[in-house]
Amino acid sequence: AGGADSTGATDSSKRQATALPPKPIPPPVFNSISEAIRSPLSTTSQIFAMVEEEREKTVSGLTWVIAKEDRPFLWCKLLSGKTLDDLKDSSLADGFAAWDRTFTIDALERWLDNTGDNPRNDGGSIPDLGGLESSLVGKVLAEGRVLAKRTVEGTPPDSDPSALKKAERDLCSIVLFHYRNAAV
């Protein structure tokens, strides 16, 4: 008893091999999207599920919109998996702040008009794109326009062109910063 069998396994190693791993602790349950996006314990999949659940509850013809005060928290959580407060204290936040200060849609459009298939920084009028292809940048700008309309839709005043331009700029800035950092 206690010796090795024909495979060389001992009784003790057999018991260890059949032991089940402990069950993972389930993530906490949140009462609202607002609560979940502010918690470091929430997961992006939880938040996506909560957003979809809210969309399904929406009455046909009405637009469900994330509250203005929740949007920065939602973006941070979905793009980085971290809370806004965690990101404010990180070097990633410093990098984004520096990037965002120089980011303009007009400069990117001029850059796209001049790049063709050979994207390069045009001497400082746009942020360093980290080698992103011009086709990707163009797609992000086009999608940013579509998503910006959805973002400001239903918010007073709905027809404010400066709100639409700001939403477009902010969306493109954060998405291109994300892609740029993933490419480096």
Side-chain angles (χ1 to χ4, degrees):
D5 66 10
S6 63
T7 64
T10 63
D11 290 338
S12 144
S13 68
K14 288 179 188 176
R15 279 193 298 274
Q16 288 175 349
T18 59
L20 295 174
K23 288 185 177 181
I25 299 172
V29 175
F30 298 98
N31 295 320
S32 68
I33 293 172
S34 185
E35 180 185 356
I37 59 180
R38 286 170 171 78
S39 172
L41 301 176
S42 65
T43 65
T44 54
S45 59
Q46 276 180 303
I47 293 169
F48 276 119
M50 292 176 84
V51 167
E52 286 306 311
E53 186 178 310
E54 282 296 319
R55 285 187 180 172
E56 288 173 8
K57 291 179 188 175
T58 302
V59 177
S60 171
L62 297 177
T63 304
W64 178 73
V65 179
I66 296 287
K68 186 175 184 174
E69 62 272 6
D70 286 341
R71 290 178 192 160
F73 293 90
L74 178 67
W75 275 102
C76 289
K77 193 68 174 185
L78 292 180
L79 289 176
S80 72
K82 297 180 180 183
T83 65
L84 177 61
D85 295 333
D86 288 344
L87 285 179
K88 283 181 180 177
D89 297 331
S90 74
S91 61
L92 180 62
D94 295 336
F96 178 71
W99 159 273
D100 197 52
R101 278 191 297 275
T102 63
F103 185 86
T104 69
I105 297 287
D106 291 340
L108 277 182
E109 287 172 339
R110 282 192 313 274
W111 176 78
L112 284 171
D113 289 342
N114 295 323
T115 58
D117 292 326
N118 188 16
R120 290 183 303 263
N121 191 324
D122 70 351
S125 66
I126 62 163
D128 176 16
L129 293 171
L132 293 179
E133 294 180 13
S134 59
S135 61
L136 175 64
V137 174
K139 287 176 186 175
V140 169
L141 290 175
E143 280 295 311
R145 286 187 178 98
V146 171
L147 292 173
K149 288 177 185 171
R150 291 183 188 168
T151 302
V152 299
E153 190 174 87
T155 58
D158 198 357
S159 60
D160 181 6
S162 66
L164 183 60
K165 283 289 190 193
K166 181 175 179 353
E168 177 185 339
R169 183 222 168 271
D170 291 349
L171 285 167
C172 291
S173 177
I174 198 163
V175 171
L176 286 172
F177 179 77
H178 172 73
Y179 283 143
R180 174 193 171 269
N181 286 343
V184 173

